[in-house]
Amino acid sequence: MENLKIGKHNIKRTAGLAPMASVADKAYRYMCKKYGASLVVGEMASAKGLCYSDRKTAELLECTANEYPMAIQLFGSEPEFMAKACKIAEKYEPQFIDINMGCPVQKVVSTGAGSALLKTPELACDIVKACVNATDIPITVKIRRGFDNNNINAVEMACMLEEAGASAIAVHGRTRQQMYTPGVDIDIIKKVKEAVKVPVFGNGDVFDPISAKKMYDYTNCDLVLVARGSYGRPWIFEEIETYLEQGVILPEKSLDEKLDIMLEHISLICEFKGERIAMREARKHAAWYLKGMHNAAKFRNLCASLEKYEDIKNLVLEVKKYN
Ligand SMILES: Cc1cc2nc3c(=O)[nH]c(=O)nc-3n(C[C@H](O)[C@H](O)[C@H](O)COP(=O)(O)O)c2cc1C
């Protein structure tokens, strides 16, 4: 498949990492990139927080060359703040700036941001226009199928956002109301793709190479984005790439390989965040890596008490003993 071009950047049409707040941090993105993600998106950052110089918000924007191509994701409901935030984001040198129009969290929605923008398409377009005017970095937008079942408007939104200057549209095929059931509506992604000229990213329920191929074949989307399918398996991107390019399903990684990758991931979190914070955050990642192994339930409990990097090394020894 030919590469996808957005602005001056080429993106391989394999699979990219979707944004995940509190999960897809720098270490996570680095691991996904290492194992083949063709694009990574950062954790959503508040435009207002950036404008008010909040240090924690600014940290979310940090990106390193080994994550490229990368999008920084911003959320907000005021065009002026969003434009200012784009200027601030420029300093971090991302290849793209993505605007979050899909977040379902009440704290975000109640401010008119995230998926609430699906109910105010004109404001959503004003935001895109303000961001496009503020920076030369391509602005992309991530939307959902609609706000709720009475307001399924992804196609209309995508057309308006394209007109406003968005360089690509990512579509998560669910409404704000739907959490993760029922399954994703890939028809809506297909319809958005038919309606706009800018690239469309298909997102939702891609957990393996077969579902990635189905997303491409059925919707004709330009890029597939994977979120939860990368939990504890950053190599899913390599699996998808190999299947799409060679029609080959890679064999499952060995236990030793999986454990080595987990240790590398957790040591990176320690490097970026310091051991104390890192080991708290590592608990969920370790549990995801160990899922499906013999005695997984017992190991999951042990994950919950990880305090030091040494603890995860000891846990690996235990896992090897019982597997
Ligand atoms: C823990 C978690 C955090 C998320 N954070 C964000 C976010 O910051 N911005 C965003 O646009 N979507 C966010 N999402 C939504 C995902 O990007 C994606 O649209 C959704 O999980 C569906 O994809 P999947 O079926 O591959 O998981 C998040 C999802 C999860 C599970």
Short mmCIF file of all heavy atoms in Angstrom, two decimals, residues 25-35 64 66-67 234 260-275 277-279 281-282 285 289 309 312:
data_model
loop_
_atom_site.label_atom_id
_atom_site.label_comp_id
_atom_site.label_asym_id
_atom_site.label_seq_id
_atom_site.Cartn_x
_atom_site.Cartn_y
_atom_site.Cartn_z
N ASP A 25 1.64 7.25 27.36
CA ASP A 25 2.61 8.31 27.66
C ASP A 25 3.86 8.10 26.80
O ASP A 25 3.88 7.24 25.92
CB ASP A 25 2.93 8.32 29.16
CG ASP A 25 3.51 6.99 29.62
OD1 ASP A 25 3.72 6.07 28.79
OD2 ASP A 25 3.76 6.84 30.83
N LYS A 26 4.90 8.87 27.10
CA LYS A 26 6.10 8.83 26.25
C LYS A 26 6.68 7.41 26.16
O LYS A 26 7.05 6.95 25.08
CB LYS A 26 7.14 9.80 26.81
CG LYS A 26 8.03 10.35 25.73
CD LYS A 26 9.26 11.10 26.20
CE LYS A 26 9.13 11.99 27.40
NZ LYS A 26 10.42 12.61 27.73
N ALA A 27 6.75 6.72 27.29
CA ALA A 27 7.34 5.37 27.28
C ALA A 27 6.48 4.41 26.44
O ALA A 27 6.99 3.61 25.65
CB ALA A 27 7.45 4.84 28.72
N TYR A 28 5.18 4.53 26.59
CA TYR A 28 4.24 3.65 25.87
C TYR A 28 4.36 3.90 24.36
O TYR A 28 4.44 2.98 23.55
CB TYR A 28 2.82 3.97 26.35
CG TYR A 28 1.76 2.94 25.99
CD1 TYR A 28 1.36 1.99 26.93
CD2 TYR A 28 1.14 2.94 24.76
CE1 TYR A 28 0.36 1.07 26.63
CE2 TYR A 28 0.16 2.01 24.45
CZ TYR A 28 -0.23 1.08 25.39
OH TYR A 28 -1.21 0.16 25.09
N ARG A 29 4.40 5.20 24.03
CA ARG A 29 4.48 5.55 22.60
C ARG A 29 5.79 5.06 22.01
O ARG A 29 5.84 4.56 20.88
CB ARG A 29 4.34 7.07 22.41
CG ARG A 29 3.00 7.61 22.86
CD ARG A 29 2.80 9.04 22.42
NE ARG A 29 3.79 9.98 22.91
CZ ARG A 29 3.68 10.71 24.00
NH1 ARG A 29 2.61 10.63 24.75
NH2 ARG A 29 4.63 11.55 24.36
N TYR A 30 6.85 5.22 22.82
CA TYR A 30 8.15 4.79 22.35
C TYR A 30 8.12 3.29 22.03
O TYR A 30 8.61 2.84 21.00
CB TYR A 30 9.20 5.09 23.44
CG TYR A 30 10.58 4.60 23.08
CD1 TYR A 30 11.48 5.44 22.42
CD2 TYR A 30 10.99 3.31 23.39
CE1 TYR A 30 12.74 5.00 22.08
CE2 TYR A 30 12.24 2.86 23.05
CZ TYR A 30 13.12 3.70 22.41
OH TYR A 30 14.36 3.25 22.07
N MET A 31 7.51 2.50 22.93
CA MET A 31 7.46 1.05 22.72
C MET A 31 6.62 0.71 21.48
O MET A 31 6.98 -0.16 20.68
CB MET A 31 6.85 0.35 23.94
CG MET A 31 7.69 0.43 25.21
SD MET A 31 9.37 -0.19 25.00
CE MET A 31 9.11 -1.94 24.83
N CYS A 32 5.49 1.40 21.32
CA CYS A 32 4.63 1.12 20.15
C CYS A 32 5.35 1.50 18.87
O CYS A 32 5.27 0.78 17.87
CB CYS A 32 3.30 1.88 20.28
SG CYS A 32 2.30 1.23 21.63
N LYS A 33 6.08 2.61 18.92
CA LYS A 33 6.82 3.04 17.72
C LYS A 33 7.90 2.00 17.40
O LYS A 33 8.08 1.59 16.26
CB LYS A 33 7.45 4.41 18.01
CG LYS A 33 8.09 5.05 16.85
CD LYS A 33 7.04 5.66 15.94
CE LYS A 33 7.33 5.54 14.48
NZ LYS A 33 8.47 6.17 13.95
N LYS A 34 8.59 1.56 18.45
CA LYS A 34 9.66 0.57 18.25
C LYS A 34 9.10 -0.70 17.57
O LYS A 34 9.76 -1.31 16.76
CB LYS A 34 10.28 0.23 19.61
CG LYS A 34 11.33 -0.85 19.51
CD LYS A 34 12.11 -1.00 20.80
CE LYS A 34 13.07 -2.16 20.64
NZ LYS A 34 13.86 -2.40 21.84
N TYR A 35 7.87 -1.06 17.92
CA TYR A 35 7.28 -2.27 17.35
C TYR A 35 6.32 -1.96 16.20
O TYR A 35 5.40 -2.71 15.95
CB TYR A 35 6.62 -3.10 18.45
CG TYR A 35 7.68 -3.76 19.29
CD1 TYR A 35 8.12 -3.18 20.48
CD2 TYR A 35 8.35 -4.91 18.84
CE1 TYR A 35 9.15 -3.75 21.21
CE2 TYR A 35 9.38 -5.47 19.56
CZ TYR A 35 9.78 -4.88 20.74
OH TYR A 35 10.81 -5.43 21.44
N THR A 64 9.67 13.05 21.52
CA THR A 64 11.07 12.86 21.17
C THR A 64 11.15 12.34 19.73
O THR A 64 10.19 11.76 19.22
CB THR A 64 11.73 11.81 22.10
OG1 THR A 64 10.89 10.67 22.11
CG2 THR A 64 11.91 12.33 23.50
N ASN A 66 12.39 9.83 18.48
CA ASN A 66 12.11 8.41 18.19
C ASN A 66 10.62 8.06 18.25
O ASN A 66 10.24 6.91 18.09
CB ASN A 66 12.97 7.45 19.02
CG ASN A 66 13.03 7.85 20.45
OD1 ASN A 66 12.12 8.51 20.93
ND2 ASN A 66 14.10 7.49 21.14
N GLU A 67 9.78 9.08 18.46
CA GLU A 67 8.33 8.84 18.37
C GLU A 67 7.77 9.31 17.02
O GLU A 67 6.63 9.03 16.71
CB GLU A 67 7.59 9.61 19.46
CG GLU A 67 7.89 9.12 20.85
CD GLU A 67 7.35 10.09 21.87
OE1 GLU A 67 6.13 10.04 22.12
OE2 GLU A 67 8.12 10.90 22.41
N PRO A 234 2.69 -4.09 22.65
CA PRO A 234 3.05 -3.06 21.67
C PRO A 234 3.41 -3.66 20.32
O PRO A 234 3.37 -2.97 19.30
CB PRO A 234 4.26 -2.37 22.31
CG PRO A 234 4.75 -3.29 23.38
CD PRO A 234 3.57 -4.07 23.84
N ASP A 260 10.79 -9.66 28.45
CA ASP A 260 11.87 -8.69 28.17
C ASP A 260 11.29 -7.36 27.71
O ASP A 260 11.76 -6.29 28.10
CB ASP A 260 12.81 -9.22 27.06
CG ASP A 260 13.75 -10.29 27.60
OD1 ASP A 260 13.81 -10.46 28.84
OD2 ASP A 260 14.40 -10.96 26.77
N ILE A 261 10.26 -7.46 26.87
CA ILE A 261 9.64 -6.21 26.35
C ILE A 261 8.98 -5.46 27.51
O ILE A 261 9.09 -4.24 27.63
CB ILE A 261 8.63 -6.52 25.22
CG1 ILE A 261 9.39 -7.10 24.01
CG2 ILE A 261 7.85 -5.28 24.81
CD1 ILE A 261 8.51 -7.69 22.91
N MET A 262 8.31 -6.23 28.40
CA MET A 262 7.69 -5.58 29.56
C MET A 262 8.74 -4.85 30.41
O MET A 262 8.54 -3.70 30.81
CB MET A 262 6.97 -6.63 30.41
CG MET A 262 6.39 -6.03 31.68
SD MET A 262 5.52 -7.24 32.67
CE MET A 262 6.90 -8.10 33.44
N LEU A 263 9.88 -5.53 30.64
CA LEU A 263 10.92 -4.90 31.46
C LEU A 263 11.47 -3.64 30.79
O LEU A 263 11.71 -2.63 31.43
CB LEU A 263 12.07 -5.88 31.73
CG LEU A 263 11.76 -6.99 32.74
CD1 LEU A 263 12.96 -7.93 32.89
CD2 LEU A 263 11.39 -6.40 34.11
N GLU A 264 11.64 -3.72 29.48
CA GLU A 264 12.13 -2.54 28.76
C GLU A 264 11.13 -1.38 28.90
O GLU A 264 11.52 -0.24 29.17
CB GLU A 264 12.33 -2.90 27.28
CG GLU A 264 12.90 -1.72 26.49
CD GLU A 264 12.99 -1.97 24.99
OE1 GLU A 264 12.65 -3.08 24.54
OE2 GLU A 264 13.41 -1.03 24.29
N HIS A 265 9.85 -1.72 28.74
CA HIS A 265 8.81 -0.69 28.85
C HIS A 265 8.84 -0.06 30.25
O HIS A 265 8.86 1.16 30.40
CB HIS A 265 7.45 -1.35 28.56
CG HIS A 265 6.29 -0.39 28.58
ND1 HIS A 265 5.05 -0.73 28.16
CD2 HIS A 265 6.18 0.90 29.00
CE1 HIS A 265 4.23 0.29 28.29
NE2 HIS A 265 4.90 1.30 28.80
N ILE A 266 8.88 -0.90 31.27
CA ILE A 266 8.80 -0.37 32.63
C ILE A 266 10.07 0.41 32.99
O ILE A 266 10.02 1.44 33.67
CB ILE A 266 8.46 -1.50 33.64
CG1 ILE A 266 7.03 -1.97 33.32
CG2 ILE A 266 8.57 -1.03 35.08
CD1 ILE A 266 6.53 -3.15 34.12
N SER A 267 11.22 -0.04 32.48
CA SER A 267 12.43 0.73 32.78
C SER A 267 12.38 2.09 32.09
O SER A 267 12.88 3.08 32.63
CB SER A 267 13.70 -0.05 32.43
OG SER A 267 13.86 -0.10 31.05
N LEU A 268 11.71 2.16 30.95
CA LEU A 268 11.57 3.47 30.28
C LEU A 268 10.66 4.39 31.09
O LEU A 268 10.93 5.58 31.22
CB LEU A 268 10.94 3.29 28.90
CG LEU A 268 11.85 3.06 27.71
CD1 LEU A 268 11.00 2.91 26.45
CD2 LEU A 268 12.83 4.21 27.53
N ILE A 269 9.58 3.83 31.65
CA ILE A 269 8.70 4.68 32.48
C ILE A 269 9.52 5.23 33.65
O ILE A 269 9.42 6.41 34.00
CB ILE A 269 7.45 3.93 33.01
CG1 ILE A 269 6.75 3.11 31.93
CG2 ILE A 269 6.44 4.92 33.60
CD1 ILE A 269 5.53 2.32 32.42
N CYS A 270 10.36 4.36 34.24
CA CYS A 270 11.20 4.80 35.38
C CYS A 270 12.13 5.93 34.92
O CYS A 270 12.30 6.93 35.62
CB CYS A 270 12.05 3.66 35.92
SG CYS A 270 11.08 2.40 36.78
N GLU A 271 12.71 5.76 33.73
CA GLU A 271 13.64 6.78 33.23
C GLU A 271 12.92 8.12 33.04
O GLU A 271 13.44 9.17 33.40
CB GLU A 271 14.20 6.28 31.89
CG GLU A 271 15.30 7.16 31.30
CD GLU A 271 15.69 6.65 29.92
OE1 GLU A 271 15.82 5.42 29.73
OE2 GLU A 271 15.85 7.47 29.02
N PHE A 272 11.70 8.07 32.51
CA PHE A 272 11.01 9.33 32.20
C PHE A 272 10.31 9.94 33.41
O PHE A 272 10.15 11.15 33.49
CB PHE A 272 9.97 9.10 31.08
CG PHE A 272 10.57 8.72 29.76
CD1 PHE A 272 9.95 7.80 28.92
CD2 PHE A 272 11.77 9.28 29.33
CE1 PHE A 272 10.50 7.45 27.70
CE2 PHE A 272 12.33 8.94 28.10
CZ PHE A 272 11.70 8.02 27.29
N LYS A 273 9.86 9.10 34.35
CA LYS A 273 9.01 9.66 35.42
C LYS A 273 9.60 9.48 36.82
O LYS A 273 9.01 9.95 37.78
CB LYS A 273 7.61 9.01 35.37
CG LYS A 273 6.88 9.32 34.08
CD LYS A 273 5.43 8.90 34.11
CE LYS A 273 4.69 9.45 32.90
NZ LYS A 273 3.38 8.87 32.71
N GLY A 274 10.72 8.77 36.92
CA GLY A 274 11.26 8.48 38.25
C GLY A 274 10.59 7.24 38.80
O GLY A 274 9.41 6.99 38.52
N GLU A 275 11.36 6.48 39.62
CA GLU A 275 10.90 5.14 40.02
C GLU A 275 9.58 5.15 40.80
O GLU A 275 8.70 4.32 40.58
CB GLU A 275 11.99 4.46 40.86
CG GLU A 275 11.76 3.00 41.08
CD GLU A 275 12.86 2.36 41.93
OE1 GLU A 275 13.33 2.99 42.90
OE2 GLU A 275 13.23 1.21 41.63
N ILE A 277 6.87 7.24 40.94
CA ILE A 277 5.64 7.42 40.14
C ILE A 277 5.53 6.28 39.12
O ILE A 277 4.47 5.70 38.90
CB ILE A 277 5.67 8.78 39.41
CG1 ILE A 277 5.63 9.89 40.43
CG2 ILE A 277 4.51 8.89 38.41
CD1 ILE A 277 5.76 11.28 39.86
N ALA A 278 6.69 5.96 38.52
CA ALA A 278 6.70 4.97 37.44
C ALA A 278 6.15 3.63 37.91
O ALA A 278 5.33 3.01 37.21
CB ALA A 278 8.11 4.80 36.90
N MET A 279 6.56 3.18 39.08
CA MET A 279 6.16 1.84 39.50
C MET A 279 4.66 1.77 39.81
O MET A 279 4.03 0.75 39.64
CB MET A 279 7.00 1.35 40.69
CG MET A 279 8.44 1.07 40.30
SD MET A 279 8.67 0.15 38.73
CE MET A 279 7.93 -1.42 39.13
N GLU A 281 2.46 3.50 38.11
CA GLU A 281 1.85 3.43 36.77
C GLU A 281 2.13 2.09 36.10
O GLU A 281 1.34 1.62 35.28
CB GLU A 281 2.38 4.59 35.90
CG GLU A 281 1.94 5.93 36.44
CD GLU A 281 2.20 7.08 35.49
OE1 GLU A 281 2.68 6.84 34.37
OE2 GLU A 281 1.91 8.22 35.90
N ALA A 282 3.27 1.50 36.47
CA ALA A 282 3.67 0.23 35.84
C ALA A 282 2.74 -0.91 36.21
O ALA A 282 2.66 -1.92 35.51
CB ALA A 282 5.10 -0.11 36.25
N HIS A 285 0.30 -1.69 33.53
CA HIS A 285 0.97 -2.21 32.33
C HIS A 285 1.43 -3.66 32.56
O HIS A 285 1.26 -4.52 31.70
CB HIS A 285 2.18 -1.34 31.96
CG HIS A 285 1.78 0.05 31.57
ND1 HIS A 285 1.12 0.32 30.40
CD2 HIS A 285 1.93 1.25 32.20
CE1 HIS A 285 0.88 1.63 30.32
NE2 HIS A 285 1.37 2.21 31.40
N TYR A 289 0.57 -7.02 30.43
CA TYR A 289 1.57 -7.90 29.79
C TYR A 289 1.40 -9.34 30.24
O TYR A 289 1.63 -10.28 29.48
CB TYR A 289 3.00 -7.44 30.13
CG TYR A 289 3.53 -6.32 29.25
CD1 TYR A 289 3.52 -5.00 29.68
CD2 TYR A 289 4.06 -6.59 27.98
CE1 TYR A 289 4.02 -3.97 28.87
CE2 TYR A 289 4.56 -5.58 27.17
CZ TYR A 289 4.53 -4.28 27.62
OH TYR A 289 5.02 -3.28 26.81
N TYR A 309 11.64 -0.98 40.94
CA TYR A 309 11.95 -1.69 39.70
C TYR A 309 12.40 -3.13 40.02
O TYR A 309 12.09 -4.06 39.29
CB TYR A 309 13.02 -0.93 38.90
CG TYR A 309 13.26 -1.56 37.54
CD1 TYR A 309 12.25 -1.53 36.57
CD2 TYR A 309 14.44 -2.20 37.24
CE1 TYR A 309 12.43 -2.13 35.33
CE2 TYR A 309 14.64 -2.80 36.00
CZ TYR A 309 13.63 -2.77 35.05
OH TYR A 309 13.80 -3.37 33.83
N ILE A 312 9.66 -5.73 39.99
CA ILE A 312 9.17 -6.29 38.72
C ILE A 312 10.16 -7.33 38.21
O ILE A 312 9.78 -8.34 37.61
CB ILE A 312 8.85 -5.17 37.67
CG1 ILE A 312 8.19 -5.74 36.42
CG2 ILE A 312 10.06 -4.39 37.26
CD1 ILE A 312 6.80 -6.16 36.59
#
